[in-house]
Amino acid sequence: MPNVLLLPGDGIGQEIVPEAAKAVRAVGERFQVDFRFQEALVGGAAYDDCGDPLPEETLRLCKESDAIILGAIGGPKWEQLPVHLRPEMGALLPLRKKLELYANIRPAVLYPGLIDASPLKPEVVDGLDLVVVRELTGGLYFGTKKREVVDDEEQAVDTLVYNTGEIVRIGRLAFQMAQKRRKKLTSVDKANVLASGRLWREVITELGKEYPDVELEHMYVDNCSMQLVRKPTQFDVIVTENTFGDILTDEASVLTGSIGMLASASIGGDVGLYEPSHGSAPDIAGQQKANPLATILSAAMMLELSFNMPEAARSIEDAVRHVVEEGYRTPDLMQSGGKEVTTADMGDLVAEYILKG
Ligand code: NAD
Protein backbone atom coordinates (compact mmCIF):
# COMPACT_ATOMS: atom_id res chain seq x y z
CA MET A 1 0.00 0.00 0.00
CA PRO A 2 1.50 3.35 -1.10
CA ASN A 3 2.83 5.42 1.77
CA VAL A 4 2.68 9.18 1.12
CA LEU A 5 4.35 11.71 3.39
CA LEU A 6 2.71 15.15 3.49
CA LEU A 7 5.01 18.08 4.26
CA PRO A 8 2.76 21.16 4.19
CA GLY A 9 5.56 23.50 5.32
CA ASP A 10 4.80 27.20 5.67
CA GLY A 11 2.37 29.87 4.46
CA ILE A 12 -0.09 28.61 1.85
CA GLY A 13 1.59 25.17 2.04
CA GLN A 14 -0.76 24.54 4.99
CA GLU A 15 -3.78 25.18 2.77
CA ILE A 16 -2.79 23.56 -0.54
CA VAL A 17 -1.31 20.25 0.62
CA PRO A 18 -4.60 19.07 2.21
CA GLU A 19 -6.28 19.69 -1.17
CA ALA A 20 -3.70 17.50 -2.95
CA ALA A 21 -4.29 14.80 -0.33
CA LYS A 22 -8.04 15.12 -1.03
CA ALA A 23 -7.42 14.45 -4.73
CA VAL A 24 -5.22 11.42 -3.96
CA ARG A 25 -7.88 10.06 -1.58
CA ALA A 26 -10.48 10.42 -4.33
CA VAL A 27 -8.16 8.54 -6.71
CA GLY A 28 -7.77 5.86 -4.05
CA GLU A 29 -11.52 5.48 -3.82
CA ARG A 30 -12.03 5.39 -7.57
CA PHE A 31 -9.16 3.03 -8.37
CA GLN A 32 -9.40 0.95 -5.16
CA VAL A 33 -5.94 1.83 -3.85
CA ASP A 34 -5.36 2.18 -0.14
CA PHE A 35 -3.07 5.22 0.14
CA ARG A 36 -1.59 5.80 3.59
CA PHE A 37 -0.75 9.36 4.65
CA GLN A 38 1.63 10.63 7.28
CA GLU A 39 2.49 14.23 7.99
CA ALA A 40 5.62 15.96 9.28
CA LEU A 41 7.00 19.42 9.94
CA VAL A 42 9.51 21.11 7.65
CA GLY A 43 10.82 24.64 7.08
CA GLY A 44 9.86 27.54 9.35
CA ALA A 45 7.13 25.47 11.04
CA ALA A 46 9.75 22.88 12.02
CA TYR A 47 12.20 25.56 13.15
CA ASP A 48 9.52 27.06 15.41
CA ASP A 49 8.78 23.64 16.84
CA CYS A 50 12.30 22.35 17.53
CA GLY A 51 14.89 24.84 16.23
CA ASP A 52 15.71 22.79 13.11
CA PRO A 53 14.11 23.38 9.66
CA LEU A 54 14.78 19.75 8.71
CA PRO A 55 14.40 17.66 11.89
CA GLU A 56 15.86 14.15 12.02
CA GLU A 57 12.35 12.75 12.51
CA THR A 58 11.14 14.41 9.29
CA LEU A 59 14.12 13.10 7.35
CA ARG A 60 13.51 9.61 8.70
CA LEU A 61 9.84 9.73 7.66
CA CYS A 62 10.89 11.01 4.21
CA LYS A 63 13.24 8.07 3.71
CA GLU A 64 10.64 5.57 4.90
CA SER A 65 7.89 6.90 2.64
CA ASP A 66 7.24 5.96 -1.00
CA ALA A 67 6.69 9.56 -2.10
CA ILE A 68 6.49 13.04 -0.60
CA ILE A 69 4.10 15.90 -1.31
CA LEU A 70 5.63 19.19 -0.20
CA GLY A 71 3.74 22.51 -0.02
CA ALA A 72 6.22 25.36 0.25
CA ILE A 73 8.60 26.67 2.83
CA GLY A 74 9.92 30.00 4.03
CA GLY A 75 8.54 33.42 4.79
CA PRO A 76 9.51 36.79 6.26
CA LYS A 77 9.38 35.45 9.83
CA TRP A 78 12.51 33.33 9.25
CA GLU A 79 14.48 35.56 6.87
CA GLN A 80 16.76 36.96 9.56
CA LEU A 81 17.97 33.57 10.74
CA PRO A 82 21.55 32.43 10.00
CA VAL A 83 21.72 30.92 6.50
CA HIS A 84 21.93 27.27 7.62
CA LEU A 85 18.72 27.65 9.66
CA ARG A 86 16.69 29.45 7.01
CA PRO A 87 13.97 27.19 5.67
CA GLU A 88 15.17 27.15 2.03
CA MET A 89 18.88 26.60 2.70
CA GLY A 90 18.42 24.56 5.86
CA ALA A 91 15.65 22.28 4.60
CA LEU A 92 14.94 22.32 0.87
CA LEU A 93 18.46 21.98 -0.55
CA PRO A 94 19.63 19.37 2.01
CA LEU A 95 16.41 17.42 1.48
CA ARG A 96 16.99 17.26 -2.30
CA LYS A 97 20.61 16.25 -1.74
CA LYS A 98 19.93 13.65 0.95
CA LEU A 99 17.21 12.02 -1.15
CA GLU A 100 19.51 12.09 -4.24
CA LEU A 101 16.96 13.90 -6.35
CA TYR A 102 19.06 14.57 -9.45
CA ALA A 103 16.23 15.30 -11.87
CA ASN A 104 13.67 18.06 -11.72
CA ILE A 105 10.71 17.68 -14.02
CA ARG A 106 8.47 20.62 -14.75
CA PRO A 107 5.65 20.39 -17.24
CA ALA A 108 4.27 23.57 -18.77
CA VAL A 109 0.77 22.90 -20.05
CA LEU A 110 -1.71 25.52 -21.14
CA TYR A 111 -5.24 24.61 -20.17
CA PRO A 112 -7.68 25.80 -22.84
CA GLY A 113 -9.79 27.64 -20.25
CA LEU A 114 -6.76 29.79 -19.32
CA ILE A 115 -5.55 30.84 -22.74
CA ASP A 116 -6.22 34.53 -22.03
CA ALA A 117 -4.14 34.39 -18.84
CA SER A 118 -0.93 33.69 -20.82
CA PRO A 119 1.25 36.70 -21.66
CA LEU A 120 1.66 35.31 -25.21
CA LYS A 121 -0.88 35.71 -27.99
CA PRO A 122 -3.45 32.87 -28.03
CA GLU A 123 -2.37 31.71 -31.51
CA VAL A 124 1.26 31.38 -30.33
CA VAL A 125 0.60 29.54 -27.10
CA ASP A 126 -2.47 27.46 -28.00
CA GLY A 127 -1.66 23.76 -27.58
CA LEU A 128 1.41 24.32 -25.36
CA ASP A 129 2.36 21.04 -23.70
CA LEU A 130 6.04 20.65 -22.88
CA VAL A 131 8.22 19.24 -20.12
CA VAL A 132 11.60 20.51 -18.98
CA VAL A 133 13.92 17.92 -17.48
CA ARG A 134 16.57 19.77 -15.47
CA GLU A 135 19.71 18.22 -13.99
CA LEU A 136 19.48 19.16 -10.31
CA THR A 137 22.57 18.08 -8.39
CA GLY A 138 25.53 18.97 -10.63
CA GLY A 139 27.00 21.87 -12.58
CA LEU A 140 27.67 25.40 -11.46
CA TYR A 141 25.60 25.29 -8.28
CA PHE A 142 27.54 22.37 -6.83
CA GLY A 143 31.06 22.91 -8.27
CA THR A 144 33.95 24.30 -6.20
CA LYS A 145 33.55 27.96 -5.29
CA LYS A 146 36.33 30.33 -4.39
CA ARG A 147 36.71 33.94 -3.47
CA GLU A 148 40.12 35.58 -3.24
CA VAL A 149 42.07 38.75 -3.87
CA VAL A 150 44.09 38.68 -7.09
CA ASP A 151 46.21 41.71 -8.07
CA ASP A 152 44.45 43.81 -5.43
CA GLU A 153 41.03 42.95 -6.80
CA GLU A 154 38.29 40.74 -5.40
CA GLN A 155 37.77 37.70 -7.55
CA ALA A 156 35.04 35.06 -7.33
CA VAL A 157 35.11 31.69 -9.06
CA ASP A 158 32.32 29.16 -9.61
CA THR A 159 33.19 25.88 -11.30
CA LEU A 160 30.97 24.23 -13.89
CA VAL A 161 31.65 20.50 -13.78
CA TYR A 162 29.78 17.61 -15.38
CA ASN A 163 30.92 14.04 -15.82
CA THR A 164 29.66 11.44 -18.28
CA GLY A 165 27.68 9.51 -15.64
CA GLU A 166 25.70 12.57 -14.58
CA ILE A 167 24.80 13.38 -18.18
CA VAL A 168 23.88 9.79 -19.04
CA ARG A 169 21.48 9.37 -16.10
CA ILE A 170 19.56 12.60 -16.76
CA GLY A 171 19.67 11.98 -20.53
CA ARG A 172 18.23 8.49 -20.14
CA LEU A 173 15.38 9.81 -18.05
CA ALA A 174 14.61 12.47 -20.65
CA PHE A 175 14.68 10.01 -23.59
CA GLN A 176 12.35 7.68 -21.70
CA MET A 177 9.99 10.55 -20.96
CA ALA A 178 9.98 11.54 -24.65
CA GLN A 179 9.20 7.93 -25.59
CA LYS A 180 6.01 8.15 -23.51
CA ARG A 181 5.03 11.48 -25.07
CA ARG A 182 5.39 12.86 -28.60
CA LYS A 183 8.87 11.34 -29.07
CA LYS A 184 10.84 14.54 -29.53
CA LEU A 185 13.77 15.55 -27.33
CA THR A 186 15.54 18.90 -27.43
CA SER A 187 18.89 18.87 -25.64
CA VAL A 188 19.95 22.36 -24.63
CA ASP A 189 23.58 23.35 -24.07
CA LYS A 190 26.19 25.97 -24.88
CA ALA A 191 28.52 23.65 -26.76
CA ASN A 192 29.85 26.49 -28.91
CA VAL A 193 31.51 28.09 -25.87
CA LEU A 194 31.69 25.69 -22.91
CA ALA A 195 33.76 22.51 -22.61
CA SER A 196 31.06 21.03 -20.36
CA GLY A 197 28.53 21.85 -23.10
CA ARG A 198 30.59 19.92 -25.66
CA LEU A 199 30.75 16.87 -23.39
CA TRP A 200 27.01 17.22 -22.77
CA ARG A 201 26.29 17.21 -26.51
CA GLU A 202 28.63 14.27 -27.25
CA VAL A 203 27.13 12.12 -24.49
CA ILE A 204 23.50 12.91 -25.40
CA THR A 205 24.22 12.24 -29.10
CA GLU A 206 25.75 8.85 -28.26
CA LEU A 207 22.86 8.00 -25.93
CA GLY A 208 20.39 8.92 -28.67
CA LYS A 209 21.52 5.84 -30.64
CA GLU A 210 19.79 3.72 -27.97
CA TYR A 211 16.50 5.55 -28.57
CA PRO A 212 16.03 5.55 -32.36
CA ASP A 213 12.29 6.16 -31.95
CA VAL A 214 12.98 9.57 -30.37
CA GLU A 215 13.78 12.51 -32.62
CA LEU A 216 16.77 14.26 -31.02
CA GLU A 217 17.71 17.86 -31.69
CA HIS A 218 20.38 20.04 -30.06
CA MET A 219 19.81 23.70 -29.34
CA TYR A 220 21.98 26.42 -27.82
CA VAL A 221 20.49 27.84 -24.66
CA ASP A 222 20.23 31.40 -26.00
CA ASN A 223 18.26 30.18 -29.00
CA CYS A 224 16.07 27.99 -26.78
CA SER A 225 15.12 30.93 -24.57
CA MET A 226 14.08 32.82 -27.70
CA GLN A 227 12.19 29.86 -29.21
CA LEU A 228 10.22 29.43 -25.99
CA VAL A 229 8.49 32.74 -26.56
CA ARG A 230 8.54 32.67 -30.37
CA LYS A 231 7.08 29.19 -30.92
CA PRO A 232 6.76 27.26 -27.65
CA THR A 233 4.56 24.57 -29.17
CA GLN A 234 7.56 23.20 -31.14
CA PHE A 235 8.85 21.56 -27.91
CA ASP A 236 7.93 18.22 -26.41
CA VAL A 237 10.69 17.33 -23.89
CA ILE A 238 13.63 19.63 -23.17
CA VAL A 239 16.66 18.30 -21.27
CA THR A 240 19.32 20.59 -19.89
CA GLU A 241 21.90 21.18 -17.18
CA ASN A 242 21.26 22.77 -13.80
CA THR A 243 21.74 26.51 -14.35
CA PHE A 244 20.16 26.66 -17.82
CA GLY A 245 17.27 24.55 -16.48
CA ASP A 246 16.73 26.93 -13.58
CA ILE A 247 16.27 29.84 -15.98
CA LEU A 248 14.38 28.05 -18.76
CA THR A 249 11.85 26.46 -16.37
CA ASP A 250 10.90 29.88 -15.02
CA GLU A 251 10.55 31.19 -18.55
CA ALA A 252 8.44 28.21 -19.61
CA SER A 253 6.30 28.46 -16.51
CA VAL A 254 5.13 32.00 -17.14
CA LEU A 255 3.69 30.91 -20.52
CA THR A 256 0.92 28.96 -18.79
CA GLY A 257 -0.81 31.92 -17.19
CA SER A 258 -0.45 31.48 -13.44
CA ILE A 259 2.27 30.29 -11.14
CA GLY A 260 -0.51 28.57 -9.24
CA MET A 261 -0.86 25.99 -12.07
CA LEU A 262 2.73 24.71 -12.19
CA ALA A 263 3.52 21.28 -10.89
CA SER A 264 6.97 19.80 -10.41
CA ALA A 265 8.64 16.52 -9.52
CA SER A 266 12.13 15.92 -8.23
CA ILE A 267 13.17 12.34 -8.73
CA GLY A 268 16.21 10.10 -9.04
CA GLY A 269 16.59 8.47 -5.62
CA ASP A 270 14.31 5.93 -3.96
CA VAL A 271 11.70 8.51 -2.94
CA GLY A 272 10.22 11.17 -5.24
CA LEU A 273 9.42 14.69 -4.04
CA TYR A 274 6.40 16.42 -5.57
CA GLU A 275 5.80 20.12 -5.05
CA PRO A 276 4.31 23.16 -6.76
CA SER A 277 6.80 25.48 -8.44
CA HIS A 278 5.72 28.48 -6.37
CA GLY A 279 6.69 29.55 -2.86
CA SER A 280 4.77 30.00 0.38
CA ALA A 281 3.00 33.22 -0.76
CA PRO A 282 2.97 34.95 2.64
CA ASP A 283 0.88 37.79 1.15
CA ILE A 284 -2.19 35.54 0.81
CA ALA A 285 -1.46 32.85 3.42
CA GLY A 286 -4.27 31.87 5.79
CA GLN A 287 -6.96 33.47 3.63
CA GLN A 288 -8.10 30.52 1.50
CA LYS A 289 -7.08 32.46 -1.63
CA ALA A 290 -4.27 30.15 -2.77
CA ASN A 291 -4.66 28.16 -5.94
CA PRO A 292 -4.16 24.48 -4.99
CA LEU A 293 -4.04 23.19 -8.60
CA ALA A 294 -0.22 23.17 -8.93
CA THR A 295 0.01 20.95 -5.85
CA ILE A 296 -2.86 18.76 -7.04
CA LEU A 297 -1.13 18.39 -10.44
CA SER A 298 2.12 17.55 -8.63
CA ALA A 299 0.21 14.73 -6.92
CA ALA A 300 -0.79 13.52 -10.41
CA MET A 301 2.92 13.41 -11.31
CA MET A 302 3.50 11.37 -8.15
CA LEU A 303 0.91 8.81 -9.26
CA GLU A 304 2.59 8.45 -12.64
CA LEU A 305 6.28 8.62 -11.70
CA SER A 306 6.41 7.04 -8.24
CA PHE A 307 3.44 4.65 -8.39
CA ASN A 308 3.23 3.87 -12.10
CA MET A 309 -0.48 4.74 -12.17
CA PRO A 310 -0.79 6.73 -15.43
CA GLU A 311 -4.55 6.26 -15.64
CA ALA A 312 -5.00 7.66 -12.13
CA ALA A 313 -2.70 10.57 -12.99
CA ARG A 314 -4.85 11.33 -16.09
CA SER A 315 -7.98 11.27 -13.91
CA ILE A 316 -6.56 14.14 -11.83
CA GLU A 317 -5.45 16.09 -14.91
CA ASP A 318 -8.85 15.61 -16.53
CA ALA A 319 -10.57 16.82 -13.35
CA VAL A 320 -8.39 19.95 -13.25
CA ARG A 321 -9.11 20.65 -16.94
CA HIS A 322 -12.80 20.18 -16.29
CA VAL A 323 -13.08 22.56 -13.30
CA VAL A 324 -11.07 25.23 -15.14
CA GLU A 325 -13.26 24.87 -18.25
CA GLU A 326 -16.36 25.11 -16.04
CA GLY A 327 -15.11 28.56 -15.04
CA TYR A 328 -14.12 27.89 -11.42
CA ARG A 329 -11.31 30.22 -10.41
CA THR A 330 -9.22 31.00 -7.35
CA PRO A 331 -8.48 34.76 -7.25
CA ASP A 332 -5.13 34.43 -9.13
CA LEU A 333 -6.98 33.04 -12.18
CA MET A 334 -10.06 35.22 -11.91
CA GLN A 335 -11.36 36.69 -15.18
CA SER A 336 -14.69 38.31 -15.88
CA GLY A 337 -17.44 35.71 -15.91
CA GLY A 338 -15.43 33.32 -13.72
CA LYS A 339 -16.88 31.71 -10.59
CA GLU A 340 -14.63 32.60 -7.67
CA VAL A 341 -13.93 29.79 -5.21
CA THR A 342 -11.75 29.25 -2.15
CA THR A 343 -8.75 26.93 -1.94
CA ALA A 344 -10.83 24.23 -0.24
CA ASP A 345 -13.75 24.63 -2.69
CA MET A 346 -11.36 24.10 -5.59
CA GLY A 347 -10.01 20.94 -3.94
CA ASP A 348 -13.57 19.68 -3.38
CA LEU A 349 -14.52 20.32 -7.01
CA VAL A 350 -11.48 18.42 -8.32
CA ALA A 351 -12.08 15.50 -5.92
CA GLU A 352 -15.76 15.37 -6.89
CA TYR A 353 -14.90 15.19 -10.58
CA ILE A 354 -12.24 12.51 -10.02
CA LEU A 355 -14.87 10.39 -8.31
CA LYS A 356 -17.45 10.97 -11.06
CA GLY A 357 -14.90 10.15 -13.76
P1 NAD B 1 5.88 33.05 -4.11
O1 NAD B 1 5.86 32.05 -5.20
O2 NAD B 1 5.59 32.55 -2.74
O3 NAD B 1 4.84 34.23 -4.45
C1 NAD B 1 4.95 35.06 -5.60
C2 NAD B 1 3.57 35.65 -5.93
O4 NAD B 1 2.76 34.62 -6.49
C3 NAD B 1 2.81 36.17 -4.72
O5 NAD B 1 2.09 37.30 -5.09
C4 NAD B 1 1.87 35.05 -4.35
O6 NAD B 1 0.68 35.48 -3.72
C5 NAD B 1 1.58 34.43 -5.73
N1 NAD B 1 1.33 32.99 -5.60
C6 NAD B 1 2.24 32.02 -5.40
N2 NAD B 1 1.65 30.83 -5.34
C7 NAD B 1 0.33 31.04 -5.49
C8 NAD B 1 -0.81 30.19 -5.51
N3 NAD B 1 -0.73 28.87 -5.35
N4 NAD B 1 -2.02 30.75 -5.68
C9 NAD B 1 -2.14 32.06 -5.85
N5 NAD B 1 -1.11 32.93 -5.87
C10 NAD B 1 0.12 32.42 -5.68
O7 NAD B 1 7.31 33.75 -4.17
P2 NAD B 1 7.97 34.81 -3.17
O8 NAD B 1 6.94 35.77 -2.69
O9 NAD B 1 9.18 35.27 -3.87
O10 NAD B 1 8.45 33.92 -1.92
C11 NAD B 1 7.73 33.79 -0.70
C12 NAD B 1 8.48 32.81 0.20
O11 NAD B 1 8.48 31.50 -0.40
C13 NAD B 1 9.94 33.18 0.41
O12 NAD B 1 10.28 32.90 1.74
C14 NAD B 1 10.67 32.26 -0.55
O13 NAD B 1 11.99 32.02 -0.15
C15 NAD B 1 9.82 31.03 -0.45
N6 NAD B 1 9.94 30.12 -1.63
C16 NAD B 1 9.85 28.78 -1.36
C17 NAD B 1 9.88 27.88 -2.40
C18 NAD B 1 9.73 26.42 -2.10
O14 NAD B 1 9.31 26.08 -1.02
N7 NAD B 1 10.02 25.55 -3.04
C19 NAD B 1 9.99 28.34 -3.73
C20 NAD B 1 10.05 29.72 -3.97
C21 NAD B 1 10.00 30.62 -2.90
Side-chain angles (χ1 to χ4, degrees):
M1 109 203 13
N3 192 352
V4 179
L5 181 66
L6 304 176
L7 298 179
D10 306 317
I12 60 168
Q14 301 282 343
E15 296 159 74
I16 54 184
V17 167
E19 303 314 315
K22 228 181 241 176
V24 177
R25 278 198 193 92
V27 163
E29 211 174 311
R30 179 165 157 199
F31 292 87
Q32 307 283 301
V33 181
D34 189 9
F35 289 100
R36 288 291 157 93
F37 296 95
Q38 281 185 294
E39 193 168 320
L41 293 173
V42 73
Y47 175 81
D48 288 349
D49 183 66
C50 66
D52 183 351
L54 183 58
E56 274 303 315
E57 170 68 0
T58 298
L59 195 57
R60 186 182 63 77
L61 288 169
C62 285
K63 288 180 175 165
E64 284 174 11
S65 70
D66 297 314
I68 302 162
I69 299 179
L70 173 73
I73 58 181
K77 185 176 172 194
W78 303 283
E79 265 163 24
Q80 305 310 323
L81 289 172
V83 171
H84 70 286
L85 292 176
R86 271 186 224 155
E88 298 85 337
M89 296 300 284
L92 204 53
L93 295 188
L95 192 59
R96 286 176 182 160
K97 206 159 177 121
K98 286 184 173 150
L99 296 178
E100 294 172 34
L101 305 171
Y102 66 81
N104 181 246
I105 300 177
R106 274 211 222 174
V109 178
L110 185 80
Y111 288 86
L114 294 178
I115 200 157
D116 293 328
S118 173
L120 296 190
K121 290 184 200 134
E123 63 270 26
V124 175
V125 80
D126 191 15
L128 175 78
D129 179 2
L130 63 83
V131 180
V132 182
V133 178
R134 166 189 168 196
E135 203 290 326
L136 203 57
T137 53
L140 213 42
Y141 297 177
F142 289 88
T144 311
K145 296 173 193 307
K146 189 163 72 168
R147 192 147 168 186
E148 58 191 350
V149 176
V150 177
D151 297 335
D152 292 334
E153 273 193 293
E154 280 281 333
Q155 179 176 279
V157 181
D158 295 289
T159 322
L160 172 43
V161 188
Y162 270 105
N163 61 43
T164 310
E166 287 171 315
I167 304 170
V168 166
R169 68 181 183 180
I170 192 80
R172 223 175 255 301
L173 203 142
F175 274 109
Q176 286 164 2
M177 188 152 286
Q179 277 182 321
K180 292 190 198 139
R181 293 174 45 99
R182 299 192 304 277
K183 298 187 171 46
K184 183 175 173 193
L185 179 64
T186 306
S187 173
V188 174
D189 60 40
K190 191 74 184 161
N192 48 345
V193 180
L194 300 175
S196 58
R198 280 193 285 282
L199 179 66
W200 182 278
R201 191 171 284 216
E202 280 163 31
V203 172
I204 296 284
T205 304
E206 193 56 32
L207 198 58
K209 294 179 186 159
E210 293 180 35
Y211 301 90
D213 53 332
V214 176
E215 180 199 339
L216 171 65
E217 70 172 354
H218 298 278
M219 198 177 271
Y220 295 134
V221 63
D222 36 357
N223 184 25
C224 182
S225 74
M226 182 177 71
Q227 295 299 333
L228 272 172
V229 286
R230 199 185 71 82
K231 198 178 173 211
T233 51
Q234 70 185 282
F235 296 107
D236 179 15
V237 179
I238 294 174
V239 64
T240 192
E241 59 93 79
N242 203 343
T243 309
F244 297 159
D246 193 3
I247 299 164
L248 292 177
T249 48
D250 267 26
E251 187 186 352
S253 68
V254 81
L255 306 178
T256 63
S258 168
I259 193 165
M261 297 299 295
L262 293 165
S264 95
S266 298
I267 58 172
D270 293 335
V271 184
L273 177 76
Y274 300 87
E275 57 177 322
S277 301
H278 57 73
S280 58
D283 54 334
I284 56 166
Q287 301 170 41
Q288 281 288 309
K289 286 184 177 165
N291 181 350
L293 294 179
T295 320
I296 291 173
L297 290 166
S298 303
M301 294 183 80
M302 171 186 81
L303 295 174
E304 176 142 27
L305 299 172
S306 281
F307 301 137
N308 195 21
M309 296 174 63
E311 205 188 328
R314 293 298 91 73
S315 77
I316 293 190
E317 290 163 5
D318 287 349
V320 168
R321 192 168 294 118
H322 179 80
V323 296
V324 168
E325 275 171 13
E326 290 283 293
Y328 294 107
R329 302 276 187 273
T330 42
D332 57 308
L333 300 175
M334 202 52 196
Q335 296 156 327
S336 65
K339 299 172 229 174
E340 190 164 323
V341 293
T342 64
T343 309
D345 290 340
M346 190 61 114
D348 288 342
L349 286 160
V350 171
E352 232 171 73
Y353 193 77
I354 292 169
L355 284 171
K356 268 199 266 166

